[in-house]
Amino acid sequence: MDHIAIDLVILISSIVIGIPVPFCFMLAAIYMGVIYFPDFSFLMTIGFRGLNSLTILSIPFFIIAGALMSSAGIAERLTNFANSMLGRLRGGMGAASIVACAIFGAISGTASSAVACIGGIMIPRLEKLGYPRGYSTGMLSCASVLGQLIPPSVPMILYGWVTQQSVAACFLSTVVPGIITTIIFCIINYFMVGKFPDIKVDDPLPRKERNKLVLKAGKRGFWSLLMPVIILGGIYGGVTTPTEAAAVAVFYAIIVGFFVHKELTLTVFFRSLKAAATTSGVIVLMLFFVTILGRLYTMQQVPMKIANFLLGTSSNKYVILFMVNIFLIIIGMLMDDLSGTMLAAPLLMPLMLKIGVHPIHFAAILGTNLGLGNVTPPTAPILYLGGRVGNVQIDEYLKPALIYMIFGFLPVIALTTYVPQLSLFLPKLIMGIK
């Protein structure tokens, strides 16, 4: 068997049997190094040079910001604001939860923090209103993927770093797909809640009173709602880089948590720092080995071999994109969004350029497909995390989750893939990319 095929078998099989992902990449890198490039000193230099990037520094900052948000009372105020606008409609509380995940995504940058934070707040609240706990868990597990579609997004930071594209433009590429996903999820929820007769909905209010309620929730959540404005406004206003914006997000969460909401404690603060340090350490270790593995794959022309294989299968651009979508969903099913981005971006970029797909358009294709993969069994890291947050067995929430996957994600993936204007409109308008 070809050594490259053996290496891919080592990588995928080690992930499937449950070895931590950084060590899976390490095993694959060691095998390739021993076979093709025994001088490991050169490979180590490649790994360390890859980590010497200010862009990567934004990742631990966004992780810390996401961890602080739930403890600082920011997330709860976001959900209350969303509920003030939608809570009195049929299925309004479910829709408010979905919108809260989208707003939360404009701060935290990861799906895992969205499901942990919003799920922890909203699942018990939805259960009191008559929503089956399994349904709420499945819905919010899928909606949490909005955390990596609505910018800022940690996977898009990694994509921009790997492919040498503007991180800000990559952020913008998933905005429209994220908004469309939010709308479709709210529509699905509207029809799904008709099957649950025990759901309670508050009586409608006159417009004047409803506006007062929204205004009151908006005032209470003012500092929370200001956070995404500061982060995204700083990036696209040219005031801050994504890394500087991430640092501002942490500083802002500390100020609001300690001195405005006064709900953040030193114990929780240091616990958040510890959790962020652990997560960041895992990511850095993974990036080190992925950088080495990526260079070895490039030296052995693996990306070009994949491109030639797919082009030999079909010369039709849309058929190739369909096969790429299937490949990305499978990658997302096997590993988390960060690992999937690091593996798939350098492997598939030469093929995308060859068939005329814009690198920023490919960012959106990658983000939406890996998002679906992250909630699709067998590994489905975000789906299983949602189950732990909701404290329900998988058989209770898998069916509603599948409904959101099939009728929510798949149409968005199709639109994102075959209508490039959706992902390129904002980067062209705001960033002026060609």
Side-chain angles (χ1 to χ4, degrees):
M1 186 188 289
D2 182 80
H3 288 299
I4 294 170
I6 293 174
D7 191 67
L8 290 173
V9 169
I10 291 172
L11 176 61
I12 294 172
S13 60
S14 58
I15 290 171
V16 170
I17 64 176
I19 296 175
V21 171
F23 297 112
C24 299
F25 283 109
M26 180 187 72
L27 290 173
I30 289 174
Y31 178 81
M32 288 288 286
V34 169
I35 297 298
Y36 291 109
F37 215 104
D39 183 7
F40 276 89
S41 61
F42 172 70
L43 297 178
M44 296 290 281
T45 303
I46 290 172
F48 284 115
R49 280 182 179 173
L51 295 177
N52 186 21
S53 169
L54 277 175
T55 301
I56 296 176
L57 191 60
S58 64
I59 295 174
F61 281 123
F62 278 125
I63 292 170
I64 295 170
L68 293 177
M69 279 182 60
S70 57
S71 308
I74 294 174
E76 185 175 1
R77 285 165 173 79
L78 290 176
T79 57
N80 288 338
F81 176 71
N83 183 50
S84 70
M85 294 188 294
L86 302 168
R88 294 179 181 274
L89 304 173
R90 174 185 168 186
M93 197 59 149
S97 304
I98 294 167
V99 172
C101 284
I103 300 175
F104 191 90
I107 304 171
S108 68
T110 60
S112 55
S113 59
V115 71
C117 191
I118 302 298
I121 294 169
M122 294 304 296
I123 290 174
R125 194 181 293 185
L126 289 166
E127 188 177 29
K128 287 182 181 177
L129 291 175
Y131 287 76
R133 198 172 184 90
Y135 169 77
S136 303
T137 301
M139 175 187 70
L140 283 171
S141 297
C142 292
S144 66
V145 176
L146 294 167
Q148 67 191 46
L149 294 181
I150 304 296
S153 164
V154 172
M156 288 298 103
I157 293 171
L158 291 179
Y159 176 89
W161 175 69
V162 170
T163 60
Q164 299 297 302
Q165 300 296 317
S166 163
V167 172
C170 294
F171 282 171
L172 287 172
S173 70
T174 56
V175 171
V176 175
I179 292 171
I180 293 173
T181 305
T182 304
I183 293 169
I184 293 177
F185 277 9
C186 288
I187 293 171
I188 293 172
N189 172 71
Y190 178 82
F191 287 104
M192 288 287 288
V193 295
K195 300 178 180 179
F196 310 131
D198 296 331
I199 287 182
K200 303 169 189 173
V201 180
D202 292 337
D203 294 331
L205 288 175
R207 177 175 293 183
K208 192 174 181 180
E209 290 185 38
R210 188 180 71 238
N211 290 343
K212 282 183 180 179
L213 187 68
V214 172
L215 186 62
K216 184 179 178 181
K219 283 182 178 179
R220 189 168 183 272
F222 173 77
W223 297 102
S224 304
L225 294 166
L226 191 61
M227 193 172 183
V229 174
I230 291 174
I231 295 170
L232 300 179
I235 294 172
Y236 298 116
V239 180
T240 62
T241 65
T243 303
E244 291 165 346
V248 169
V250 173
F251 182 74
Y252 186 86
I254 292 171
I255 296 297
V256 171
F258 277 117
F259 304 109
V260 180
H261 296 164
K262 298 180 180 179
E263 295 181 21
L264 188 62
T265 64
L266 283 174
T267 303
V268 173
F269 174 67
F270 286 113
R271 190 190 305 147
S272 299
L273 290 182
K274 181 181 177 182
T278 304
T279 305
S280 301
V282 171
I283 292 172
V284 167
L285 188 62
M286 180 184 69
L287 294 180
F288 178 78
F289 289 115
V290 167
T291 303
I292 294 173
L293 188 61
R295 176 61 66 89
L296 287 166
Y297 281 165
T298 302
M299 290 167 66
Q300 298 306 313
Q301 297 186 324
V302 175
M304 296 310 298
K305 288 177 181 177
I306 293 174
N308 291 334
F309 170 75
L310 290 176
L311 288 170
T313 305
S314 173
S315 59
N316 188 300
K317 174 181 176 180
Y318 300 104
V319 173
I320 293 171
L321 284 172
F322 177 78
M323 291 190 288
V324 166
N325 282 342
I326 299 298
F327 174 75
L328 289 173
I329 292 173
I330 293 171
I331 289 291
M333 290 165 64
L334 295 173
M335 59 185 74
D336 62 86
D337 51 346
L338 304 182
S339 311
T341 301
M342 291 298 298
L343 178 64
L347 285 180
L348 295 176
M349 180 59 77
L351 171 64
M352 294 296 101
L353 295 175
K354 211 164 189 177
I355 64 175
V357 173
H358 196 290
I360 300 302
H361 178 206
F362 181 49
I365 294 173
L366 190 77
T368 51
N369 277 282
L370 292 181
L372 173 58
N374 283 177
V375 290
T376 305
T379 55
I382 301 302
L383 189 66
Y384 296 145
L385 175 59
R388 291 200 298 273
V389 171
N391 195 26
V392 292
Q393 298 297 316
I394 188 168
D395 59 311
E396 297 180 56
Y397 66 94
L398 182 57
K399 183 178 177 181
L402 285 172
I403 291 172
Y404 279 92
M405 292 178 214
I406 294 169
F407 296 104
F409 275 122
L410 290 181
V412 172
I413 288 173
L415 285 170
T416 303
T417 302
Y418 296 117
V419 187
Q421 291 82 1
L422 293 179
S423 51
L424 292 175
F425 171 70
L426 288 178
K428 286 182 177 179
L429 179 67
I430 298 175
M431 304 292 298
I433 66 164
K434 301 298 181 183

